[in-house]
Amino acid sequence: MDHEEEFLNTFFAQVAQLCTDKAKELVEKERGSCRQTQMGPWGMLLMHLPQIAVAEHSYADLGFLHTKNKGFLRKDNSLRTVYESLKSDLKRVEEMTRGTNSIGATVAEVSNQLCQYITAKIQLIDFYEKMYNMSINSKTMKYQELLQCIEGIVEIHSLSCSHLALTAIKASLTLECEILVQLTKAQVELQHWRFLSTLMALYGAQTRMSAWERTLQSKESWKLGFSASFLKANQQPALYQWLVKLRSSILAKCSLYFHTTLSQQASPGEMRSIMSKQNVDYYHKIQSFQRKHDVLAVLIIFDSRGVEDAGLGYRHPRREPNTSEQFPVVLSCPSVFVQKPSIHLDNIQKRIKERHTELLAMDKIIYYKNDICTYAMYNTDPRMTLVTVSENGKQKDKEAHIASFMTDLCVQIRCNKIYESLKLSK
């Protein structure tokens, strides 16, 4: 291996591990040892490498979601601008070095592929911005749209950055993209109440996150603006920590939507222990609320109309779907509430059909009252409706509690707050 390629291998390995200072020191040492070629192809490339290391560090620290010191007559120094400037510089290096000599050919090829890499990073910045903007401008995340977007980025760049020297940063890029694909896919499958595919997507995300974590074994401290004690416990960059938080929130949601199935695989004690380790134990929240406020039942109902292969089990491809159960019960607390035929379920299903458009707006609780009970309905997802059933005589003093509980729970389950947390105030 040529000296130049060996150097680039080492440099980009440091960049992938986010060892920014080491990467910059490496470049300074290399520039010092080859002063005679400062103006040649190699020197031109070396000039821009430290900026790549700094930009990657900022990216991993979610720096792309913050524009610092931007104002009237001030230079835009956002990470996107830094990347675009780097891309222009590297294109210039490629044009000036192509066809000069063997080192020039390597420099030109690496510069070209670094441009591809930077293009992918800019597209990912757009993707994170899209997720953030969607979370604050919409009651529900459009996960199918997000999935198509991130899968498009993966497809475009699947064959880019093939130079051996870029193996380390290409691996990190691929892992990040695949983690985003798997987590977004898990959200799509959850919304359609598909058990196995949700679990597979979550498992796929976890294996890739573990692989990415292994590449981030850096001893450099992350200067996130928190106390030293916090830094000791959180050595991983902000982007990785956010992905961990997102996966945990999806896992908690999965544990709620498939609680009935999961509880059949473990004893009540084991189930409580498992659920207590979740980011949020939604079932315990629901159970505590139902008992504390003497609510007849809290349910989650799935609208399966127009959805294939939804539910907890498996269906043979040639078997006709069961259309009789258009509104299966995802969760019932207490469980005995749905273990016998009940007029309540008929009432709930009828109201979900009647108020379908209002429920889809996901902006208010829908009430229905008859002589015996009051039903409150609020969608957690486009096809998932949270329902509380309470007796009329006992309901007046707790209407506010029910409204507060349902609003808070639905907002939490939707995960919008997690996506909003991408843009932290710095």
Side-chain angles (χ1 to χ4, degrees), residues 284-319:
H284 179 70
K285 272 191 169 186
I286 291 170
Q287 196 175 49
S288 299
F289 168 79
Q290 186 262 327
R291 289 172 178 172
K292 182 179 178 181
H293 295 285
D294 197 24
V295 173
L296 276 179
V298 179
L299 306 127
I300 297 177
I301 306 292
F302 177 64
D303 183 352
S304 68
R305 294 174 296 175
V307 178
E308 293 182 3
D309 301 326
L312 304 174
Y314 308 94
R315 184 176 62 82
H316 192 278
R318 293 179 186 172
R319 183 180 170 186

Side-chain angles (χ1 to χ4, degrees), residues 344-355:
H344 291 299
L345 290 179
D346 293 335
N347 283 332
I348 291 166
Q349 291 175 13
K350 189 177 179 182
R351 301 312 152 195
I352 290 175
K353 282 182 182 178
E354 287 177 357
R355 312 292 291 273

Side-chain angles (χ1 to χ4, degrees), residues 3-25:
H3 166 74
E4 288 79 13
E5 292 199 3
E6 189 175 339
F7 168 84
L8 289 172
N9 263 323
T10 307
F11 172 78
F12 285 114
Q14 299 284 10
V15 171
Q17 290 178 354
L18 302 170
C19 298
T20 309
D21 291 340
K22 288 182 182 178
K24 286 160 72 177
E25 285 169 15

Side-chain angles (χ1 to χ4, degrees), residues 141-363:
M141 300 290 289
K142 299 179 178 71
Y143 292 119
Q144 191 61 53
E145 182 183 322
L146 290 173
L147 183 60
Q148 289 172 352
C149 183
I150 187 62
E151 284 181 336
I153 294 172
V154 170
E155 188 177 350
I156 290 167
H157 297 285
S158 60
L159 300 177
S160 65
C161 310
S162 57
H163 196 283
L164 283 175
L166 305 182
T167 300
I169 57 170
K170 174 62 188 292
S172 293
L173 174 67
T174 302
L175 286 170
E176 181 188 353
C177 288
E178 289 181 354
I179 289 164
L180 288 168
V181 167
Q182 294 297 323
L183 291 178
T184 310
K185 193 177 286 182
Q187 294 278 34
V188 171
E189 299 303 330
L190 259 180
Q191 284 191 336
H192 291 87
W193 203 38
R194 294 178 181 133
F195 181 58
L196 183 61
S197 48
T198 301
L199 289 186
M200 292 298 288
L202 282 169
Y203 177 75
Q206 180 56 46
T207 54
R208 288 162 176 82
M209 287 170 79
S210 298
W212 197 19
E213 186 180 25
R214 287 193 293 273
T215 70
L216 294 172
Q217 299 304 318
S218 162
K219 293 182 180 178
E220 290 193 14
S221 294
W222 276 90
K223 298 173 184 177
L224 302 176
F226 297 103
S227 66
S229 60
F230 180 86
L231 282 171
K232 286 179 184 176
N234 288 278
Q235 290 294 322
Q236 299 301 359
L239 175 57
Y240 183 84
Q241 289 182 45
W242 180 80
L243 289 168
V244 169
K245 186 163 67 169
L246 177 60
R247 183 187 174 275
S248 297
S249 68
I250 299 170
L251 187 60
K253 183 175 176 177
C254 174
S255 300
L256 174 67
Y257 282 5
F258 298 109
H259 186 274
T260 304
T261 299
L262 295 170
S263 60
Q264 292 168 357
Q265 316 300 319
S267 68
E270 288 173 327
M271 195 64 190
R272 279 193 297 273
S273 175
I274 292 166
M275 295 298 286
S276 67
K277 294 172 185 174
Q278 297 295 324
N279 188 36
V280 184
D281 186 349
Y282 288 119
Y283 186 77
H284 179 70
K285 272 191 169 186
I286 291 170
Q287 196 175 49
S288 299
F289 168 79
Q290 186 262 327
R291 289 172 178 172
K292 182 179 178 181
H293 295 285
D294 197 24
V295 173
L296 276 179
V298 179
L299 306 127
I300 297 177
I301 306 292
F302 177 64
D303 183 352
S304 68
R305 294 174 296 175
V307 178
E308 293 182 3
D309 301 326
L312 304 174
Y314 308 94
R315 184 176 62 82
H316 192 278
R318 293 179 186 172
R319 183 180 170 186
E320 289 297 316
N322 179 13
T323 55
S324 62
E325 196 175 14
Q326 293 184 332
F327 297 93
V329 177
V330 171
L331 182 85
S332 174
C333 183
S335 57
V336 293
F337 188 78
V338 292
Q339 286 176 0
K340 54 186 177 181
S342 167
I343 193 167
H344 291 299
L345 290 179
D346 293 335
N347 283 332
I348 291 166
Q349 291 175 13
K350 189 177 179 182
R351 301 312 152 195
I352 290 175
K353 282 182 182 178
E354 287 177 357
R355 312 292 291 273
H356 176 68
T357 305
E358 290 172 87
L359 286 167
L360 267 183
M362 295 168 71
D363 58 357

Side-chain angles (χ1 to χ4, degrees), residues 385-404:
T385 306
L386 178 70
V387 183
T388 59
V389 185
S390 51
E391 291 179 278
N392 286 339
K394 302 178 180 179
Q395 200 249 349
K396 286 181 183 177
D397 60 331
K398 59 192 173 191
E399 188 172 336
H401 292 296
I402 290 173
S404 175

